[in-house]
Amino acid sequence: MTPTLVQHRPHAMSATPDPAASASSAASAPSAQACARARDWAEIQERMLVPLYEAVYERLEVGPGTRLLGLDCGSGLALVLAAARGAQVTGVDADPERLALARERMASDTAPDAVFAQGDAAAAAQPAGGLYNLVTAFSPIGCAAGDAEGLGAELAAAVAHSERGGAVVLTGWGPPERCATSGVLRVAGKLTERLRTGGGWRAALRDDLEDVAAQAGLKPDGSGRVSCPFGYADMESAVRGLLSTGLYAAAIEASDESQVEKEITEALHPHRRSDGTVWMPNVFRYLIARTP
């Protein structure tokens, strides 16, 4: 399944600034920006990983008997797809804005009975009908140093809610030579010393997922690779989509948003096609492991 080229929806702008509201607007700016980022994630970026979600669900035969716990579920698209197959779904995420969008999406989509909790796996309630038999961690690791830190503890909490022998799915970026977006992600490391000395972009390693599984006491039970091209209707949509991933947050703090946007735009130019669309082929990897 190939993701559809997507374009952001322009935000409404006031023609005449209201000086009396300036202080209030400034105070609410961080929250407004967080909401905008979450909306960009839901409308532009999240769907890029649909081929990965579908490949995993097909392989594991996700259906009416599946009780799924989605870690870092974002705005819930992966859970919508699982619910459409008949799965009982629960999602947890630390981002309240993305979680609000997930609740909104599910309420009007295929799973109005879906359950969501803010936080990590420890916040998830036990599903009706038994323990979870599938846990997914669809936020890919392997593009930033330390991006798997904390995942072990979250997996341990998820396993405590899971039945013995249940499936746990870990996902990661493929090798940089197979991921055109890798070059664009390197931008963050160029903009801040903090990222260059620990926490910046790094190439995905062959055993990233196996290492995380081993640390969590999980037994590998198969893996696969999936093509997930990132396609955008125009350059502005591409920049907004990439910023919504959160991978540039530290770079923005170290410099400023306009500089980060400029650097991302320059890095995207080789991927801009003659019709103005932006296209970057990528390969992602998944590992299926089993709970003890």
Side-chain angles (χ1 to χ4, degrees), residues 78-166:
L79 298 182
V80 167
L81 297 175
R85 291 170 173 262
Q88 179 183 347
V89 300
T90 299
V92 294
D93 200 290
D95 187 324
E97 286 78 19
R98 288 189 184 186
L99 206 58
L101 292 173
R103 290 192 178 100
E104 176 184 320
R105 172 181 272 162
M106 284 296 197
S108 60
D109 217 302
T110 57
D113 58 344
V115 178
F116 295 96
Q118 186 175 340
D120 56 20
Q126 182 175 322
L131 299 173
Y132 294 106
N133 52 24
L134 173 58
V135 175
T136 58
F138 278 134
S139 293
I141 64 171
C143 68
D147 61 3
E149 292 179 5
L151 185 54
E154 188 165 13
L155 288 174
V159 167
H161 288 296
S162 302
E163 66 182 31
R164 187 172 185 178

Side-chain angles (χ1 to χ4, degrees), residues 217-231:
L218 303 172
K219 182 180 179 180
D221 187 32
S223 63
R225 291 187 176 185
V226 182
S227 173
C228 295
F230 287 8

Side-chain angles (χ1 to χ4, degrees), residues 123-233:
Q126 182 175 322
L131 299 173
Y132 294 106
N133 52 24
L134 173 58
V135 175
T136 58
F138 278 134
S139 293
I141 64 171
C143 68
D147 61 3
E149 292 179 5
L151 185 54
E154 188 165 13
L155 288 174
V159 167
H161 288 296
S162 302
E163 66 182 31
R164 187 172 185 178
V168 178
V169 179
L170 306 174
T171 59
W173 288 79
E177 65 271 15
R178 301 286 303 278
C179 294
T181 307
S182 294
V184 184
L185 295 177
R186 289 191 183 98
V187 165
K190 297 177 181 178
L191 292 172
T192 169
E193 283 295 327
R194 187 171 81 83
L195 286 180
R196 284 199 292 271
T197 56
W201 180 90
R202 72 162 176 84
L205 303 178
R206 186 184 63 179
D207 296 327
D208 277 341
L209 302 181
E210 284 79 2
D211 289 345
V212 171
Q215 292 167 12
L218 303 172
K219 182 180 179 180
D221 187 32
S223 63
R225 291 187 176 185
V226 182
S227 173
C228 295
F230 287 8
Y232 307 91

